Structures are given as structure tokens and as C-alpha cells.
């Protein structure tokens, strides 16, 4: 009995405490109620407002200027107000999985931003001001309606990972060729017909994915990317490969699984000699290409 009585008292105290806490929350200004949801994670001030079904953002959010990581993913947002520019301490901004048709020009004021996820939205263009975010290292604009990028993004010289897959891009934007620190470039499922010779400028590339396009041939200059560990050109219109391709020693095998390193070149109308040689593996291809 004593144990039961003790438990009842504890439960009653907890309920009273909960009611008191809820009452205290109601008395707080709205901005403080939002601030109570922020946490410190690995030294960063973080606020997660994902999966809230939000159609618009609370005005009080823009008072939390201390935020360094903000997650607004998987909501129903159609726009982000210009007030975003006041969050100048942001390092990571997660906007993926909304219904955004544009990003505000004020995003350019986020000079400390290193990671921007804006994939799975309805973006048809990107503001030129994004080029002012010169600390960006990771940028994902996949699954949108982009046809290109503004030339101003040439300033993103520190970018390491760029994902532009599943858009309407017909040629690799010129600004991409100036992003000389890129190690990962994803352009799958666009409308590319070629890769320009300028690709040789991306000497640090380790992963290049252009599967699911309409590329007719690979330029010789792609063979300058000797750090490549994964090159995926599956599902294109390629008939032949450059003779210099044997220089890509980092591609150690023919790969089938999407995550495997190596050369992915399946589902292309390869000419018969190349197709037959590939049955012997990547080394057989290299030997064939090197033969006088």
C-alpha cells in the first residue's frame, strides 16, 4: 500500500508540475517559447522545425539571431521571407522537401553559411546573391526545376560538394568549372548533351555522376581528372570513349551497384569493339586503348 500511495503522490505532483510548466509557457513571449526548443549540439545552437506542416514561418523566428543550424525541412513552405538575412550566424540551413519557388536575395547576407540543402522544392532559378555565401562547402539543389545557375556562383571557390541532379539543365553551368575545390559533382537525370573541355579545371574531383542524360561522347579532357574514383555515365548515348581514358587509374573496376566506386558505363549504345572489350573488365579496356 505504501508503494501505491507513494506512486500516486508522485503522479499528482508530476501532473501539477506539468500544468504549472504549461502555464508558465503560455506566459512567455512567443519568441521565448520558440527559443526553448533550441538545443546546443556539438557546440552549435540548433533549432529543428521539420515536419510541422507549416505554411509560413513565425515572425518571432527572426529574433533568434544566435542560431547556427536551422532545419525547416519537410514543411509546406512556398517562400522564405527576406528576414532570413538577419540570421547571419547560420552555418547550416536545411530547406529541403518544401514547395519553395524561389529563395530570397537576402540569403546572400548569410556570410557564414557552409551547408545549404534546398533539394526537392520547385525552384526555377537561384538568386545571384547566393554567390556572396563564399564559405559554402556543400550545396544541394537537386530535384528542382533549374535550367542553370547564375554566373555569380563562380565566387563559391570553396565549394566541395554540388548536387544538381533531377533538374532541367542542358549544359553544365559555366560557374561550375570555376569551383576548383569540388570533389563531388552530381548531375544525374538532367538534359545534358555534352561535357565541355573546361571539366579539366576540376582536378580534385573524386566523384562525377552524369547518368541519365543525353551525352553523346566524353571529352578527352575528362581524362585529366586523375583523382576520379567514381565516374557514372550510365544511361546516356555514348558510343565510344577517349583513347586517353587509361590515365584514370583511380577507376579500378567496372561498377554495377550505384554506390560502387569505379566506372559505370552500362546502358549506352557502345560500338561493338568497345562493348566486346569491356566484357574482359576495365583493365582489358585500358589495354585496348593503349594498344598502338
Amino acid at each position: 500500500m505504501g508503494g501505491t500511495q507513494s506512486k500516486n503522490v508522485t503522479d499528482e505532483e508530476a501532473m501539477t508540475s506539468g500544468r504549472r510548466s504549461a502555464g508558465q509557457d503560455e506566459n512567455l513571449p512567443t519568441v521565448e517559447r520558440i527559443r526553448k526548443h533550441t538545443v546546443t549540439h556539438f557546440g552549435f545552437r540548433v533549432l529543428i522545425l521539420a515536419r510541422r506542416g507549416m505554411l509560413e514561418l513565425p515572425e518571432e523566428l527572426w529574433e533568434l539571431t544566435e542560431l547556427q543550424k536551422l532545419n525547416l525541412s519537410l514543411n509546406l513552405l512556398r517562400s522564405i521571407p527576406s528576414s532570413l538575412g538577419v540570421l547571419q550566424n547560420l552555418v547550416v540551413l536545411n530547406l529541403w522537401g518544401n514547395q519553395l519557388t524561389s529563395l530570397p536575395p537576402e540569403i546572400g547576407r548569410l556570410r557564414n553559411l557552409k551547408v545549404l540543402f534546398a533539394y526537392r522544392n520547385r525552384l526555377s532559378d537561384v538568386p545571384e546573391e547566393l554567390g556572396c555565401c563564399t564559405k559554402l562547402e556543400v550545396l544541394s539543389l537537386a530535384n528542382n526545376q533549374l535550367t542553370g545557375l547564375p554566373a555569380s556562383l563562380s565566387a563559391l571557390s570553396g565549394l566541395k560538394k554540388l548536387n544538381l541532379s533531377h533538374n532541367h539543365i542542358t549544359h553544365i553551368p559555366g560557374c561550375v568549372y570555376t569551383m576548383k575545390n569540388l570533389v563531388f559533382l552530381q548531375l544525374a537525370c538532367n538534359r545534358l548533351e555534352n561535357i565541355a573541355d573546361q571539366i579539366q579545371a576540376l582536378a580534385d574531383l573524386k566523384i562525377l555522376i552524369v547518368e541519365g542524360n543525353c551525352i553523346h561522347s566524353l571529352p578527352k579532357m575528362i581524362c585529366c581528372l586523375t583523382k576520379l574514383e567514381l565516374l557514372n555515365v550510365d544511361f546516356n548515348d555514348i558510343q565510344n570513349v577517349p583513347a586517353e581514358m587509361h590515365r584514370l587509374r583511380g577507376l579500378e573496376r567496372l561498377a554495377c551497384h550505384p554506390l560502387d566506386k569505379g566506372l559505370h558505363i552500362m546502358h549506352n549504345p557502345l560500338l561493338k569493339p568497345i562493348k566486346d572489350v569491356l566484357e574482359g573488365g576495365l583493365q582489358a579496356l585500358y589495354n585496348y586503348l593503349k594498344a598502338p
Side-chain angles (χ1 to χ4, degrees):
M1 288 178 66
T4 302
Q5 183 178 2
S6 174
K7 183 178 186 302
N8 288 340
V9 170
T10 302
D11 287 348
E12 184 177 348
E13 288 176 346
M15 290 173 65
T16 303
S17 175
R19 286 194 296 269
R20 189 183 304 121
S21 175
Q24 289 173 346
D25 274 2
E26 289 175 4
N27 293 328
L28 286 172
T30 307
V31 63
E32 291 305 325
R33 285 187 234 168
I34 298 176
R35 184 171 275 121
K36 285 186 69 174
H37 290 283
T38 64
V39 298
T40 300
H41 190 245
F42 291 106
F44 292 97
R45 293 300 295 164
V46 182
L47 176 61
I48 300 175
L49 294 176
R51 298 178 184 270
R52 300 295 181 98
M54 292 188 298
L55 294 169
E56 56 185 27
L57 298 169
E59 283 295 322
E60 293 78 11
L61 173 61
W62 315 118
E63 296 184 44
L64 304 182
T65 55
E66 71 274 16
L67 286 179
Q68 294 169 291
K69 294 186 178 183
L70 177 59
N71 187 340
L72 300 173
S73 64
L74 292 166
N75 281 291
L76 302 170
L77 302 173
R78 294 187 177 183
S79 64
I80 302 292
S82 60
S83 306
L84 174 68
V86 305
L87 302 184
Q88 296 185 21
N89 288 309
L90 280 184
V91 176
V92 177
L93 177 57
N94 194 335
L95 301 172
W96 80 270
N98 280 282
Q99 299 176 18
L100 300 175
T101 57
S102 64
L103 297 174
E106 288 77 11
I107 197 169
R109 297 176 61 190
L110 307 183
R111 302 299 174 88
N112 291 303
L113 198 63
K114 291 186 176 181
V115 178
L116 174 59
F117 294 132
Y119 57 95
R120 292 191 183 178
N121 278 285
R122 299 176 181 177
L123 301 175
S124 57
D125 56 32
V126 176
E128 293 184 3
E129 290 80 0
L130 185 61
C132 296
C133 301
T134 54
K135 291 186 179 180
L136 267 178
E137 296 179 3
V138 179
L139 175 59
S140 179
L141 297 167
N143 294 87
N144 278 287
Q145 299 168 19
L146 300 174
T147 57
L149 295 176
S152 61
L153 267 58
S154 296
L156 304 184
S157 57
L159 203 65
K160 296 179 180 178
K161 297 183 179 181
L162 176 61
N163 191 339
L164 297 171
S165 64
H166 296 271
N167 278 287
H168 305 320
I169 298 171
T170 57
H171 62 276
I172 298 177
C175 62
V176 172
Y177 297 121
T178 68
M179 300 171 180
K180 297 185 178 180
N181 284 307
L182 281 180
V183 296
F184 175 97
L185 178 57
Q186 161 68 290
L187 282 153
C189 301
N190 276 281
R191 301 173 183 177
L192 301 177
E193 294 188 2
N194 60 67
I195 299 174
D197 285 343
Q198 294 100 301
I199 194 72
Q200 66 176 314
L202 306 182
D204 286 337
L205 264 189
K206 293 184 177 181
I207 297 175
L208 175 59
I209 303 173
V210 291
E211 69 172 316
N213 282 282
C214 306
I215 297 171
H216 304 302
S217 63
L218 296 177
K220 291 181 180 180
M221 294 305 178
I222 204 170
C223 303
C224 297
L225 306 181
T226 54
K227 293 184 181 180
L228 275 180
E229 298 174 0
L230 189 159
L231 173 60
N232 190 334
V233 295
D234 285 344
F235 295 97
N236 274 282
D237 193 32
I238 297 169
Q239 295 186 1
N240 215 326
V241 295
E244 296 81 359
M245 201 160 179
H246 62 83
R247 298 177 186 169
L248 301 180
R249 307 303 298 182
L251 303 179
E252 297 179 352
R253 59 176 175 169
L254 291 176
C256 297
H257 191 280
L259 298 180
D260 285 347
K261 291 183 178 180
L263 174 64
H264 299 249
I265 197 169
M266 296 176 62
H267 304 287
N268 280 282
L270 294 169
L271 295 177
K272 194 173 190 302
I274 296 295
K275 189 173 182 179
D276 291 346
V277 167
L278 278 171
E279 291 181 2
L282 192 58
Q283 190 56 52
L285 175 63
Y286 286 166
N287 290 339
Y288 172 80
L289 294 173
K290 287 188 292 184

